[in-house]
Amino acid sequence: MDRPTSGYWPSGETALAAPDRIAAVERAAASASRCLADQLARLVAEACGAPNALISLVGVQRQAVLGSFGAGRTGAGPAQIAAERSLCEAVVAAGIPIIVGDATQDRRFAETAAVRKHGLGSYVGFPIRDADEMVVGVLAIGDHLPREWSARQLTVIDDAAQLFTAGLAGEIDRHSRTTAAAPETIPDTIEEIDELTDGLGELHAFTGALLTSLQTGVAACDRDGNLIVFNQAMRQMLGHTDDDSALQPDDWPSAMHLYHPDRRPFAADDVPLRRALRGERLRDVDVLVLAPGRRPRVLSVNGQPIVDAAGDRVGAVITAEDITHRRRAEQLQACELAAAQALVDTPSLPVAAGNALAAIGECLHWPHAELWLADELSGSLTATARWDQPGRAPIPRLPDSVVDTDAGLVHTVWKTGAPLWVADIASGPLADPMAAGCGLHAALAVPVRSGERTTGVLTFFSAHAEEPESSLISVLIGIAAQIGQHLERRRAESYAARLARSEEEYIALVGHELRTPLTSISAYTELLKESEEDETIGSVRPLLDVVERNTRLLLNIVENLLDLAALDSGHTMLELVPTDLATIVREAIEAYRPMADEQGVTLRSDLPTEAPLVADPERLRQAVDHLVDNAVRYSPDGGQVDVGLDLGGGALALSVADSGIGIPVSELELVTRRLRRGTRSTERKIRGTGLGLAIATTVLARHGGTLTLQSQGEQGTTATARLPLRPPPAATPE
């Protein structure tokens, strides 16, 4: 087959066959150390996880193999092989490295004998030069399978080629000087020994320099398990600074802090170097290194036994590549997916949040996590969910809230809205003595946001002191955003469901509540029309009283509905001024005392001297009136109503408890809607419009407050109104 006319396949007239280059190849062949070449080939192949390595001097259609590893000749000395159309010939001709990921798909080399006959799948070749920068040979790495060569692997091959180039130049120079100065007689024995000793010393220094320069970790042991090679890169990966020469195989796991990926400690027989010594060939074995005071690292280890020319096992060698960043990226991706799945699968926020914390903690191996959500009324954070690693005692936190006046990690992140990493919580302004006392060290807190507001804080604690990690912070910010979206989605779904129900109920209930008084008015008006013309007013006054009473009821319903609509739409603005809620409650109690006395109900109160807040006093009085009116109206003769007012957690809490007929649990939410009354009140024909609690709820909501109802069977009802000391900005008039 004819050679293509490209720079890869030069003819005999090109630089490949130049006399000065051929002479340089012959000088290199006479001087090069084949022992060194074999060792270097083995080390580079192990460092790159490749099955084959070759160091050769390239002539014209011939190669002189100085050293090789893997398939073919290993440690067997020099050999001459045909180089016609070899990839090494192409490297020499081009004068630059050649990198082939898939040789079968590369049209330049697919038809070479190495690919067609010997199954070469991928290849890397770097040129070797002499002192005059003449390309004389190639350091090549090959694999039978296609592969992507990493930047680190290419750096290792390049470094090795450069080191061999430097060593070759020195050997050629020394050989030239020795030859020029040599007498015609054979040197005596002492001189030969000195020269051999010098050569071995240079070889040892060269090999040491090579091992030190490699970014790949290398360790080797002899047949008895004694460490004979342990390069600087391996020391750095393992965080091992002590003298390793005296380490016995049984000491390796503890001294080098070796663990399986699931954090089980290695048994001595499971250590990769010892497995290789038993004859195993290891590829891509993950080893976790948990050195004290250092961030966990993940190493990918390759290893195999070392055999001599006779095939006897004389030791073992392993290489290690730090893949911490790669595994961390995979871990963080799995963490984000697990958290998202936990939020999707569970509608209940506390359960969903707990599942998400567990998923994150287990993925990251962080033993404790917390989710704090804001209570807008009290201006505090409440611990909504917590997770502790199974088998680990929980942090005994008391109380379960963080208020405005608190300092510390959670409060700082809540107020600033920015993530915060504390390398060690045992000391400093953001120290957490309680967590530190439970054996925790580093902490990371990120804000949970809803739109522009910070609605909570997500915190995680590590069992080790750790420095900030930007990728982890980014992932947890994303998870916190998912939690914020989950909260908004659940809130929106709740509002949508309530709106749909309200529209249907509103139409039905308005029709019913308006029709009842209108029917009475219509019926009694007909009776009035049928009365005799000479009848006196006194005789028809009872009929007029019914018409008047139902007219007032109808007007009251319409006015309350219009008032509610105005409050809901925002057309009625609150007049916010400094107000004393205690005074408002006292006035309401005194106003309803005559009604309570008439019904035989005892009206009691426990109020502070004052309860200042910023509010609309008229609207608050309206809400309080409805709560007291309901309590008195539904209490039986001889019953009692207790009114209390407390300041706690940064909010005011007004409680109105009666001893009346109670509200079924299933109706506690319904009775706060418009025109909805409890079944017990309608069954007992207790008068009411079904608007009082709806108005109170709306007024409180406009102030940023809430109304909750509690009832125990027929043992009465307690209504609790909670109000912030200052309403949120949305409640403030523009």
Side-chain angles (χ1 to χ4, degrees):
M1 184 179 294
D2 295 335
R3 296 170 184 261
T5 58
S6 73
Y8 289 100
W9 306 118
S11 63
E13 290 74 25
T14 64
L16 184 69
D20 55 347
R21 200 194 73 82
I22 297 301
V25 171
E26 291 174 353
R27 287 194 300 272
S31 308
S33 169
R34 292 175 175 82
C35 177
L36 171 63
D38 275 327
Q39 290 190 34
L40 184 61
R42 186 195 78 226
L43 288 172
V44 174
E46 288 292 341
C48 296
N52 301 304
L54 181 73
I55 298 176
S56 63
L57 300 175
V58 181
V60 179
Q61 299 185 11
R62 302 295 295 174
Q63 285 181 230
V65 178
L66 297 179
S68 63
F69 176 81
R73 300 173 64 86
T74 302
Q80 294 287 331
I81 60 174
E84 184 176 2
R85 297 195 66 194
S86 75
L87 276 74
C88 290
E89 186 184 57
V91 173
V92 173
I96 59 175
I98 291 179
I99 302 166
V100 182
D102 188 348
T104 63
Q105 300 300 315
D106 193 316
R107 62 184 181 82
R108 302 171 298 175
F109 310 115
E111 296 302 319
T112 61
V115 177
R116 289 187 296 104
K117 295 180 181 179
H118 303 297
L120 183 68
S122 54
Y123 172 89
V124 175
F126 275 74
I128 294 173
R129 304 174 187 271
D130 65 3
D132 298 323
E133 292 297 312
M134 185 72 69
V135 179
V136 295
V138 176
L139 192 161
I141 304 293
D143 200 332
H144 296 300
L145 299 174
R147 64 186 291 176
E148 292 294 329
W149 300 96
S150 70
R152 175 171 291 187
Q153 291 167 342
L154 296 177
T155 300
V156 168
I157 301 170
D158 186 20
D159 288 347
Q162 296 292 338
L163 285 168
F164 192 82
T165 291
L168 180 62
E171 289 184 342
I172 292 173
D173 180 66
R174 185 175 64 256
H175 183 269
S176 299
R177 286 186 284 103
T178 302
T179 303
E184 295 183 359
T185 58
I186 299 175
D188 60 35
T189 305
I190 294 177
E191 291 176 346
E192 291 178 352
I193 292 174
D194 289 342
E195 183 178 352
L196 178 60
T197 301
D198 291 342
L200 290 174
E202 291 180 8
L203 174 61
H204 178 76
F206 180 79
T207 305
L210 171 64
L211 291 171
T212 301
S213 68
L214 290 177
Q215 296 181 9
T216 300
V218 180
C221 65
D222 60 18
R223 68 175 76 241
D224 297 321
N226 300 312
L227 285 174
I228 55 175
V229 174
F230 200 71
N231 75 340
Q232 185 63 29
M234 184 69 86
R235 291 177 185 276
Q236 292 175 349
M237 292 178 190
L238 298 177
H240 187 70
T241 58
D242 299 332
D243 179 19
D244 51 70
S245 58
L247 280 179
Q248 296 301 311
D250 289 343
D251 300 328
W252 292 346
S254 59
M256 300 180 187
H257 319 294
L258 306 180
Y259 294 81
H260 293 279
D262 60 3
R263 302 206 169 201
R264 289 180 297 111
F266 266 103
D269 287 341
D270 294 336
V271 174
L273 187 57
R274 196 159 190 175
R275 290 172 58 187
L277 187 59
R278 291 199 300 268
E280 292 186 54
R281 291 182 175 269
L282 311 176
R283 288 293 178 267
D284 301 322
V285 176
D286 280 4
V287 175
L288 180 63
V289 182
L290 297 177
R294 301 181 74 232
R295 182 171 292 171
R297 310 203 72 80
V298 182
L299 310 182
S300 179
V301 177
N302 295 325
Q304 66 182 52
I306 299 173
V307 296
D308 59 16
D312 295 329
R313 194 182 309 149
V314 296
V317 62
I318 61 169
T319 61
E321 181 182 359
D322 191 336
I323 58 170
T324 303
H325 293 302
R326 187 193 317 164
R327 289 289 183 266
R328 189 62 162 175
E330 295 170 356
Q331 185 184 50
L332 294 179
Q333 185 178 18
C335 170
E336 197 165 15
L337 179 61
Q341 194 65 46
L343 292 173
V344 169
D345 289 346
T346 312
S348 167
L349 176 63
V351 176
N355 291 344
L357 295 182
I360 300 167
E362 289 170 357
C363 283
L364 300 179
H365 301 289
W366 282 35
H368 182 75
E370 301 169 347
L371 173 63
W372 300 77
L373 292 181
D375 181 348
E376 295 179 359
L377 295 181
S378 61
S380 66
L381 288 173
T382 302
T384 303
R386 285 190 176 129
W387 176 81
D388 288 281
Q389 195 175 53
R392 187 182 184 92
I395 300 177
R397 290 196 184 277
L398 292 173
D400 284 348
S401 64
V402 176
V403 298
D404 252 343
T405 56
D406 289 341
L409 177 64
V410 174
H411 176 266
T412 302
V413 172
W414 180 33
K415 286 305 178 185
T416 62
L420 194 57
W421 186 300
V422 181
D424 194 341
I425 57 175
S427 60
L430 298 178
D432 189 337
M434 193 172 292
C438 294
L440 302 178
H441 290 275
L444 170 61
V446 295
V448 177
R449 303 184 66 83
S450 176
E452 297 299 319
R453 296 183 302 114
T454 300
T455 58
V457 177
L458 191 62
T459 59
F460 290 89
F461 293 83
S462 168
H464 306 280
E466 296 190 23
E467 293 302 317
E469 183 181 351
S470 58
S471 57
L472 175 57
I473 295 173
S474 298
V475 166
L476 290 184
I477 287 176
I479 292 174
Q482 291 182 34
I483 294 175
Q485 292 170 3
H486 180 87
L487 289 170
E488 287 299 310
R489 187 166 56 252
R490 292 290 177 262
R491 187 178 291 113
E493 290 172 355
S494 175
Y495 285 159
R498 289 173 58 184
L499 179 60
R501 291 195 304 267
S502 297
E503 288 177 350
E504 297 174 359
E505 294 171 354
Y506 188 69
I507 293 173
L509 290 170
V510 165
H512 176 268
E513 296 297 333
L514 294 180
R515 185 179 293 113
T516 300
L518 283 173
T519 300
S520 296
I521 292 171
S522 176
Y524 281 90
T525 301
E526 288 295 325
L527 290 175
L528 286 171
K529 288 173 62 178
E530 293 174 1
S531 62
E532 298 295 335
E533 292 185 3
D534 58 350
E535 285 192 46
T536 64
I537 289 295
S539 62
V540 296
R541 187 173 298 280
L543 301 179
L544 292 173
D545 289 342
V546 173
V547 172
E548 181 185 16
R549 184 171 62 252
N550 283 279
T551 300
R552 285 198 305 270
L553 177 60
L554 189 59
L555 286 172
N556 188 39
I557 291 174
V558 171
E559 287 175 358
N560 284 332
L561 286 173
L562 292 174
D563 196 24
L564 271 173
L567 285 169
D568 280 341
S569 65
H571 292 159
T572 297
M573 301 304 297
L574 301 181
E575 297 294 333
L576 300 177
V577 295
T579 304
D580 181 14
L581 183 58
T583 299
I584 291 175
V585 174
R586 285 192 192 92
E587 292 174 352
I589 291 173
E590 292 306 315
Y592 280 91
R593 195 173 296 281
M595 175 181 170
D597 292 341
E598 182 180 344
Q599 293 186 197
V601 175
T602 302
L603 190 53
R604 302 187 304 185
S605 63
D606 182 11
L607 307 175
T609 304
E610 60 179 12
L613 77 167
V614 176
D616 185 325
E618 292 186 7
R619 287 295 182 181
L620 279 192
R621 174 62 189 271
Q622 184 182 18
V624 173
D625 280 350
H626 283 300
L627 296 180
V628 176
D629 178 79
N630 267 18
V632 173
R633 186 184 304 276
Y634 293 112
S635 292
D637 186 10
Q640 66 183 36
V641 172
D642 292 305
V643 181
L645 184 57
D646 294 309
L647 173 60
L652 286 171
L654 170 66
S655 62
V656 181
D658 62 54
S659 56
I661 59 177
I663 303 172
V665 174
S666 60
E667 298 178 5
L668 287 174
E669 181 186 356
L670 297 177
V671 295
T672 60
R673 301 179 190 171
R674 303 174 188 186
L675 302 172
R676 292 302 297 262
R677 304 181 65 204
T679 53
R680 292 174 184 168
S681 62
T682 55
E683 289 170 357
R684 303 184 188 192
K685 301 187 183 303
I686 300 175
R687 290 188 304 165
T689 62
L691 291 171
L693 290 178
I695 291 173
T697 300
T698 303
V699 169
L700 293 170
R702 286 295 305 277
H703 283 82
T706 60
L707 177 65
T708 56
L709 301 177
Q710 292 180 311
S711 183
Q712 299 293 331
E714 296 188 11
Q715 303 302 313
T717 302
T718 299
T720 303
R722 297 183 70 229
L723 285 161
L725 300 182
R726 181 174 293 275
T732 305
E734 297 179 358

